[in-house]
């Protein structure tokens, strides 16, 4: 017979069946994962087209719930939303973790109207022997978070569990992937969202710098469409397969990010007395050879590819044939699931 403590612990057990949803403007990258005593397993992965509003409505009209195939319909859903509207801070606050930390984090975010945002943070460390607390904090407009949650059914499954920005969800997957296998190295991560990009440097497994730049995949797609006179779908294919030389367009679009990346790399190497060992790419431009070459030539280190499913148990038919070779697209979805399981 189980003791009262064991029964209470079982009742507190968090979700074990989650679908991570990386919400884009036209589609949602979805990954369903389960947790059991043997670890994490991937049940399925899919790209779900965003449903169109019913009838004649304006662009601000709520969308109907996503259509979930039976194999993707988990008990809970954890959403990852676009970096663009988010405010992200890597904070070092004086003092140890204390009772008024919530208020101090809100004050440090510099928000005019904090009540209009959903604000959360994750502790990185307590500053070791120093009297400080280090954390990552994020604020996201409440009305946009509510709209994203509207993609889930009002009853039944999957039930909403959490919402976070896609770049930080990708970082969770990154921490459980390349960082875990290279824990003594200094690694960079660039996550290309649709309207913005997030990049971070991690030294010996801990984030030491996080930046967001308001330029993402859409900027290069727009440039390719205008230069070559092609539609959006064709532009996406050109960026991914390198069928045309778009190096000039990539250079023009990437320059603001490259400048910030070089300055940030120099800052991290001086402050941490280290050398950046590799840069990893995720998101919409991860497969672009022109993007890889731009980053590699500017930083002078290897640019690595990364499969977010590496190290996970995969169901035999988890990734459909049409999506094989595109596993990099699911990093934020995998990270959203992992963050849910780590809360336990």
């Amino acid at each position: 017979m189980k003791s009262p403590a064991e029964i209470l612990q079982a009742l507190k057990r968090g979700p074990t069946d989650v679908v991570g949803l990386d919400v884009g403007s036209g589609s949602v990258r979805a990954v369903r994962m389960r947790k059991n005593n043997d670890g994490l397993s991937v049940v399925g992965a899919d790209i779900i087209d965003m449903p169109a509003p019913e009838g004649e409505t304006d662009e601000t009209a709520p969308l109907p719930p996503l259509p979930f195939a039976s194999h993707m319909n988990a008990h809970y859903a954890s959403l990852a939303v676009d970096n663009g509207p988010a405010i992200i801070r890597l904070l070092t606050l004086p003092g140890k973790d204390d009772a008024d930390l919530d208020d101090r984090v809100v004050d440090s975010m510099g928000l005019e109207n904090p009540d209009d945002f959903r604000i959360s943070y994750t502790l990185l460390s307590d500053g070791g022997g120093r009297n400080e607390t280090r954390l990552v904090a994020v604020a996201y407009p409440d009305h946009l978070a509510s709209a994203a949650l509207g993609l889930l059914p009002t009853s039944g499954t999957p039930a909403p569990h959490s919402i976070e920005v896609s770049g930080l969800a990708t970082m969770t997957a990154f921490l459980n992937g390349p960082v875990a296998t290279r824990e003594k190295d200094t690694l960079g991560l660039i996550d290309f969202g649709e309207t913005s990009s997030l990049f971070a440097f991690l030294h010996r497994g801990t984030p030491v710098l996080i930046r967001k730049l308001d330029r993402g995949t859409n900027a290069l797609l727009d440039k390719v469409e205008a230069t070559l006179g092609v539609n959006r779908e064709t532009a996406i294919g050109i960026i991914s397969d390198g069928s045309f030389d778009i190096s000039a367009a990539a250079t023009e679009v990437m320059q603001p990010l490259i400048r910030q990346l070089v300055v940030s790399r120099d800052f991290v190497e001086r402050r941490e007395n280290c050398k950046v060992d590799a840069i990893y790419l995720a998101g919409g431009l991860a497969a672009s050879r022109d993007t890889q070459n731009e980053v590699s030539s500017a930083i002078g280190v290897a640019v690595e590819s990364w499969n977010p499913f590496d190290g996970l148990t995969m169901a035999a038919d988890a990734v459909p044939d049409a999506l094989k070779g595109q596993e990099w697209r699911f990093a934020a979805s995998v990270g959203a699931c992992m963050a849910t399981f780590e809360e336990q």
Side-chain angles (χ1 to χ4, degrees), residues 105-224:
V105 169
V106 173
D107 291 342
S108 299
M109 296 299 288
L111 304 171
E112 291 186 8
N113 300 298
D115 290 342
D116 293 338
F117 292 82
R118 298 193 183 196
I119 303 170
S120 185
Y121 61 88
T122 297
L123 293 173
L124 297 178
S125 71
D126 61 1
R130 294 167 294 183
N131 191 30
E132 63 182 30
T133 300
R134 300 182 63 214
L135 53 88
V136 176
V138 59
Y140 197 79
D142 183 68
H143 72 283
L144 295 178
S146 297
L149 291 170
L151 292 170
L152 301 177
T154 55
S155 62
T157 58
H161 180 271
S162 63
I163 185 168
E164 63 180 314
V165 298
S166 60
L168 296 181
T170 297
M171 191 179 298
T172 298
F174 187 62
L175 285 164
N176 285 276
V179 173
T181 59
R182 304 181 61 171
E183 57 184 14
K184 294 184 179 181
D185 290 345
T186 302
L187 304 177
L189 170 68
I190 308 175
D191 181 61
F192 296 100
E194 291 185 346
T195 62
S196 67
S197 300
L198 182 144
F199 66 86
F201 288 97
L202 299 93
H203 178 59
R204 296 185 175 179
T206 300
V208 292
L209 183 143
I210 300 174
R211 292 283 187 272
K212 182 170 73 76
L213 185 69
D214 293 329
R215 177 166 292 204
T217 305
N218 286 352
L220 183 55
L221 289 172
D222 292 343
K223 190 70 175 177
V224 171

Side-chain angles (χ1 to χ4, degrees), residues 305-318:
S305 59
W306 166 43
N307 181 348
F309 296 127
D310 283 347
L312 300 175
T313 301
M314 304 289 294
D317 55 352

